[in-house]
Amino acid sequence: MESIKANIERIRNDIAAAALKSGRLPSDVKLMAVTKTVDDERIRQAIDAGVDLIGENYVQEAQRKMDILGRTVPWHFIGRLQTNKAKFAVRLFDMIHSVDRIELVSELDKRSKSAGCMAKILIEVNLSGELTKSGVPKENVFDLVRQAAAFDNISIQGLMTMPPWFDDPEDSRPYFTELRVLKEAVAALRIHGVEMNELSMGMSADYAVAVQEGATIVRIGRSLFGERPVRPR
Ligand SMILES: *Cc1c(COP(=O)(O)O)cnc(C)c1O
């Protein structure tokens, strides 16, 4: 299984080229390995080969994997988070990328308080208006950020998005640009408790474009581990 290491090398090279092309440093971009459905041994290979972060979509699956693989790299939550899983999420994850409603913020705040930690979160934005997608509509981002910032145990670190699927990655570019502009607009408000350092955007098909547009975290599954088996959930 030399291939995971080789894939990471290839992805790092692409990231570096895209960063330099847009006047950024390759080191400004963190490579997240997205590990849904990936078995422990292959995740271990990715960790050994030096990915910066692990991204998981499911709380229980992540818990089981962490028990086996440890937490030598930060684990981030990127899936749809049910409010009743917030209490586990704040203990397990270093960051939660998929926060899109105030009820969830409130629950994360409460659970972080009892765990004695801060919940580092990204606000997930639905830029396309697709009804099947999670994320707060862009019109509501400022309101959600303002409301979330008022909670003591919530630290807002930036924004996350998932554009619609396109065959041509260039078609994703306007969405990535829009998220960067939105992030800068939120940062300009200088709200206490809002950092706006992170832009989580770009997946296997379009990460190079995302990096050119300012991504600080790219979330890569298939390009790193190969196609996922189609398995019912
Ligand atoms: C699965 C997933 C990814 C990775 O997608 P690939 O196309 O496999 O790179 C990234 N982000 C989220 C939120 C995901 O669910």
Side-chain angles (χ1 to χ4, degrees):
M1 268 289 181
E2 179 61 30
S3 68
I4 288 176
K5 200 169 166 223
N7 288 345
I8 290 174
E9 232 161 80
R10 171 178 49 76
I11 294 163
R12 289 269 192 211
N13 284 338
D14 292 345
I15 290 173
L20 295 172
K21 192 170 168 184
S22 55
R24 306 178 63 214
L25 294 173
S27 58
D28 290 344
V29 185
K30 290 178 282 291
L31 170 54
M32 170 193 287
V34 174
T35 52
K36 57 179 175 250
T37 77
V38 177
D39 60 67
D40 303 334
E41 177 48 32
R42 287 156 71 236
I43 301 172
R44 192 187 301 283
Q45 287 175 31
I47 293 171
D48 290 347
V51 294
D52 299 304
L53 308 167
I54 302 290
E56 267 289 336
N57 293 64
Y58 305 100
V59 172
Q60 271 116 327
E61 190 174 331
Q63 166 90 77
R64 192 194 60 73
K65 287 169 177 170
M66 283 179 200
D67 288 346
I68 292 165
L69 297 166
R71 293 169 67 168
T72 52
V73 294
W75 290 65
H76 288 191
F77 187 79
I78 61 172
R80 214 180 262 252
L81 186 57
Q82 292 169 283
T83 310
N84 63 8
K85 300 269 170 66
K87 62 174 178 286
F88 306 111
V90 298
R91 289 170 191 272
L92 291 172
F93 296 100
D94 298 279
M95 195 179 289
I96 298 169
H97 287 224
S98 43
V99 178
D100 61 0
R101 57 199 191 277
I102 199 66
E103 298 74 29
L104 179 57
V105 173
S106 170
E107 188 66 16
L108 289 168
D109 177 72
K110 179 174 140 195
R111 298 301 180 171
S112 299
K113 234 171 229 125
S114 31
C117 63
M118 291 290 287
K120 291 190 200 162
I121 65 166
L122 305 182
I123 301 295
E124 181 177 358
V125 187
N126 179 346
L127 293 171
S128 63
E130 288 174 291
L131 295 174
T132 54
K133 282 260 165 72
S134 46
V136 62
K138 59 186 166 189
E139 308 77 55
N140 301 347
V141 169
F142 290 91
D143 281 349
L144 181 56
V145 168
R146 279 205 188 84
Q147 290 170 12
F151 288 90
D152 291 338
N153 287 63
I154 296 289
S155 169
I156 305 171
Q157 305 269 311
L159 304 179
M160 181 271 220
T161 201
M162 232 167 129
W165 171 260
F166 297 111
D167 288 328
D168 180 355
E170 277 301 325
D171 292 339
S172 298
R173 189 183 294 275
Y175 294 91
F176 297 146
T177 312
E178 193 173 7
L179 198 72
R180 166 166 47 78
V181 170
L182 200 50
K183 174 196 148 206
E184 284 159 9
V186 173
L189 298 176
R190 300 185 173 280
I191 301 168
H192 180 75
V194 179
E195 306 264 356
M196 286 294 133
N197 293 323
E198 305 290 357
L199 266 184
S200 169
M201 57 189 198
M203 319 201 314
S204 290
D206 54 16
Y207 63 88
V209 176
V211 168
Q212 287 172 26
E213 294 303 322
T216 63
I217 300 174
V218 291
R219 310 181 309 266
I220 314 286
R222 292 170 300 127
S223 183
L224 204 162
F225 294 113
E227 290 299 324
R228 282 182 289 275
V230 184
R231 76 147 114 130
R233 286 247 166 217

